[in-house]
Amino acid sequence: MSLNNPFDPDSTLTGCSCGRHASQAEHELADAEALNRRVIQSTVMRALFPQDAERRRFLRTVGASTAWAAISSIIPFGTLEAMAQDKGSLEKKELKVGFIPITCASPLIMADPLGLYRREGLDVTLMKTAGWALIRDKVTNREYDASHMLAPMPLAMSLGVGSNPAPTNVMTIQNINGQAITLAMKHKDKRDPKDWKGFRFAIPFEFSMHNFLLRYYLAEHGLDPDTDVQLRVVPPPEMVANLRAGNIDGFLGPDPVNQRAVFDEAGFIHILSREIWDGHPCCSFAVPTEFIRQNPNTFAALYRAVLNAAAMARDAKNRPLMAEVLAPANYLNQPKAVLEQVLTGRFADGLGNVRNVPERVDYDPFPWYSMAYWILSQMKRWGYVKGDVRYKDIAEKVYLLTDARRHMAAVGMAAPRDNSRKAVIMGKEFDPARVEAYANSFAIRKA
Amino acid sequence: MFRKQAFKAALLSLLILALFLGAWSLATYRKDAPATSADAEYAALMGKGRSTGFPTPAKVGEAFVTYLSEPFYDRGPNDKGIGIQVTHSLWRVGLGFALAVAVALPLGFAIGMSPLLFQALDPFIQLLKPISPLAWMPLALYSLKDSDVSGIFVIFICSLWPMLINTAFGVASVRRDWINVARTLEVGPLRKAFQVILPAAAPTILTGMRISMGIAWLVIVAAEMLVGGTGIGYFVWNEWNNLALPNVIFAVVMIGLVGMVLDQLFGRLQKLVTYREQ
């Protein structure tokens, strides 16, 4: 899936290259269908004329259109096409999918205007939601069929930590990196975390990578996040307003909130989250386990749609167009200039510098088990879960790695062969094979 | 005489408005700072050249024109015109309010007519009345398992108390003479309720309804900001996300206007049922 280069003077952004479709993306979709048709036709022709010379002789004598009419009167091409597209009938076609208006949700949002849901026969309504607790409740209530969620949320929900147990699965990771620590302008000379005692920080939710990464970062600098600073849950959209009002000193928040704080001169970007852990997961695409059981074919169709969307979002040359599509009120409701800086990685840091970090955010969908291991290790470290944690069981139950791999292969994406991998977080190695020892290795932790 | 005063009052109102707008323009007036930044790219990334700070009256006026010129547009589930949003809010308020009427009137009647019941229920009413309706929201979401129904429930619970108390009070304070007359004429209990007590208590009951409607309209905005989806409260929240203050101000004025119309409506109703003794 490629989009038109918006800097190409010969390409149009509103239409497509042939002019018959609303966008280049739709044009290519139509192309894909045409290709599909071609494949079926040539298969039939090969079956009818095992010798290619014979086929060519036949076509030359009677003419292509006569041949087509003759053959299609005995071979039901339309039915064959339908069968090729029919990948099991959908149990539920109209789906409600929740999201929080942040750039982490880009793939699942982009799948709508690009027609990736429609291509799978799904009629998806994207529901903008006011906060993560509400997302959790609406998914448990089954008001939403699937939703954008923070990567730790399905783990916490399945375990029944912070809410009643509600088995929920991670289909894909939505994004890696793409977060930052933003501080209020008045702290521009306090870049050393050791000076942050007594600061009030906002995080989007208890069970968020933001909470765990900020705690990790503070602790590595010798601050105890439970006693030396205050951590407050603030929904991402409200972070900038609170920073400006002086209610908080800073936040580890999702983009575009960080860039928006810079844009509105309320704060500056202290570090990007990839400077803590490059390649850390952030948000996920999650479904209730019950939904998968009841709607296996719809689930598969949804899988293909979000994976295709991720493949599209990974491509750097699609990013400027993504900024344009995501900006209106129906989606993120942010200035395009802000989204562009987040998605292309060329941004103003709020201190007078232009930084160029193309890896600022990426959309790798693969749900590594090791990501779940790390999240659980931090939940244990900070006392959200007590006693023995059965890392392997929980990770394999909640993160649908095998399904992801199967569907990635089906849509032609390369999936890693391993289920887990080591990571380096602020210079310290995390080995998923020794997760229990890792969880107990920290000096600063909740007693 | 009266007409003259009304004219003067209108003139004064206009003057106050003009003064307010003038002060606002003055307070938000800014000279465009010349772009002296050495780094042009940085300035561009920071969006220099756009207007920042509190919006001017002209900017807010622009928001009024854009939204009111197309009040019923529908660009997907998260971007709808102001007319559709207000309709959603009114629908929720109407439903919650109707439910509250259905409960508060009969219950209020019963409480008003029976001093025993009044004393028995009083502690509960006193305890439940001061609870902020939004405090019910998490409980409602958890137990009702539907955000839309929860919103309606919150409206129901906040409109219930003023109506209940006023109905009980109105019914209890119907003049004894009238009740005695009804008793002398051996009027049946149903007829007594509908033809003696109800007309006598109607003004007080409607006062309760008017207060309830005012509270319900206050609460729906806050409730919709919490649960989102649709409605004028969601509109405010969505524009707040974008820090689009002109749109927020527009929404605030719209909320005021609709609230005023609702209040006037109940004011009229109240006049209609008030029996003037000469």
Side-chain angles (χ1 to χ4, degrees), chain A residues 20 28 44 46 60 73 79 128 141 154 189 209 231 308 336 391-392 399 401 411:
Chain A
R20 277 178 296 149
E28 271 160 41
V44 170
R46 258 205 303 281
R60 257 200 303 276
S73 68
T79 320
K128 197 190 285 191
N141 290 351
D189 299 319
M209 286 305 291
L231 299 182
N308 278 321
K336 189 181 144 228
Y391 294 93
K392 190 168 181 299
Y399 277 44
L401 179 138
V411 300

Side-chain angles (χ1 to χ4, degrees), chain A residues 126 128 130 134 138 141 143 164 237-238 241 260 262-263 265 330 333-334 341 346 348 350-353, chain B residues 41-42 45-48 50 75-79 141-142 145-147 226-227 234 237-238 240-243:
Chain A
L126 293 174
K128 197 190 285 191
L134 202 60
K138 287 193 172 185
N141 290 351
E143 266 185 72
N164 278 359
E238 294 161 28
R260 187 64 203 255
V262 171
F263 197 68
E265 295 172 38
N330 197 23
N333 200 18
Q334 289 285 343
Q341 293 182 58
R346 188 165 183 85
L351 295 168
N353 313 308
Chain B
E41 187 187 6
Y42 186 78
L45 288 178
M46 291 295 286
K48 282 288 143 55
R50 80 207 154 95
R75 285 185 214 115
N78 307 308
D79 186 16
L141 268 177
Y142 183 82
K145 297 194 184 302
D146 184 294
S147 54
L226 271 184
V227 293
Y234 169 79
W237 179 83
N238 200 14
W240 178 32
N241 285 351
N242 192 13
L243 301 172

Side-chain angles (χ1 to χ4, degrees), chain B residues 6 21-23 41 148 154 157 160 165 202 204 209 224 265:
Chain B
L21 287 177
E41 187 187 6
D148 224 26
V154 166
I157 204 93
L160 187 65
I165 291 166
T204 331
M209 286 188 174
E224 284 169 346
L265 218 67

Side-chain angles (χ1 to χ4, degrees), chain B residues 134-146:
Chain B
L134 290 176
W136 292 102
M137 191 57 105
L139 281 176
L141 268 177
Y142 183 82
S143 48
L144 298 174
K145 297 194 184 302
D146 184 294

